[in-house]
């Protein structure tokens, strides 16, 4: 993924190259990065309650590939 313009809160993403699943919590307004929740104990319905990690959009693929 080259740009954060394609991502919004709630989008499922995959961190490359580790194929780690996450959900976008928020978009950082001044960089090409988003806050992503990766570790929520599979409690994806409540991802907003968990801490996100600032992640470069270039390292993400949209969707989980299921």
């Amino acid at each position: 993924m080259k740009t954060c313009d394609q991502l919004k809160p709630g989008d499922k993403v995959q961190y490359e190259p580790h194929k780690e699943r996450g959900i976008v919590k928020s978009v950082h307004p001044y960089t090409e990065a988003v806050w992503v929740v990766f570790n929520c104990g599979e409690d994806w319905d409540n991802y907003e309650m968990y801490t996100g990690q600032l992640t470069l959009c270039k390292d993400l693929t949209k969707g989980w590939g299921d």
Side-chain angles (χ1 to χ4, degrees):
M1 175 158 295
K2 300 291 185 218
T3 178
C4 292
D5 296 339
Q6 301 170 358
L7 294 175
K8 64 187 182 312
D11 282 348
K12 294 177 180 179
V13 292
Q14 210 164 268
Y15 179 73
E16 304 297 338
H18 304 290
K19 306 287 188 209
E20 187 173 355
R21 292 178 173 188
I23 295 182
V24 175
K25 185 170 185 175
S26 64
V27 177
H28 194 284
Y30 303 112
T31 66
E32 287 296 307
V34 294
W35 294 95
V36 179
V37 173
F38 291 108
N39 186 6
C40 65
E42 298 296 318
D43 186 18
W44 297 114
D45 290 334
N46 296 306
Y47 75 93
E48 292 173 321
M49 295 175 21
Y50 294 86
T51 303
Q53 295 179 347
L54 190 61
T55 308
L56 294 174
C57 293
K58 69 178 185 70
D59 295 332
L60 297 171
T61 301
K62 193 170 182 178
W64 284 351
D66 293 344

